[in-house]
Amino acid sequence: MQALHHPNAPAAVGPYAQAIVAGGFVFCSGQTPLVPATMRIEALTIEDQTRQVLANLATVLSAQGLGLADIVKTSVFLKNFADFARMNAAYAEVFGAHRPARTTVEVSRLPLEALVEIECIAVLPTDAR
């Protein structure tokens, strides 16, 4: 097992790793729409928060030479399920033709009053396992 850290991704704000490499996969901790340089949520809309979250996940994955196309599963946590369609549109825009498996749930509250948090599992290339 190997912990991953990318200095350009939001720093962990608790006792957890940004991601863990294990068993041929990368397990990314949930990312909120924090801007790494300020460690603040600056985006106000669900669409912009979703884009920031996915950018943060892409940065974490890049520490292992991976990108969003390597994601096989995401879990999306929404503060308000009424935002689903708008989140889904931004999510689809960022992922393009790639369609990982996904679970989406509504939660009562997210860190720093974020509207969305996303965690993911990415697969390592066969030669890196």
Side-chain angles (χ1 to χ4, degrees), residues 29-33 53 75-78 110-111 114-119:
S29 295
Q31 288 289 318
T32 59
V53 167
S75 296
V76 179
F77 306 95
L78 289 174
L110 290 168
L115 302 177
V116 61
E117 179 174 353
I118 302 174
E119 65 182 25

Side-chain angles (χ1 to χ4, degrees), residues 10-66:
V13 294
Y16 61 90
Q18 289 175 339
I20 295 290
V21 178
F25 295 93
V26 178
F27 300 86
C28 290
S29 295
Q31 288 289 318
T32 59
L34 288 170
V35 173
T38 64
M39 289 299 288
R40 295 181 58 196
I41 296 174
E42 297 176 6
L44 301 178
T45 67
I46 188 65
E47 295 90 344
D48 288 342
Q49 286 197 15
T50 300
R51 289 182 195 100
Q52 182 65 56
V53 167
L54 293 173
N56 290 345
L57 283 173
T59 301
V60 171
L61 289 170
S62 73
Q64 190 66 31
L66 303 175

Side-chain angles (χ1 to χ4, degrees), residues 4-16:
L4 288 185
H5 171 77
H6 195 293
N8 294 332
V13 294
Y16 61 90

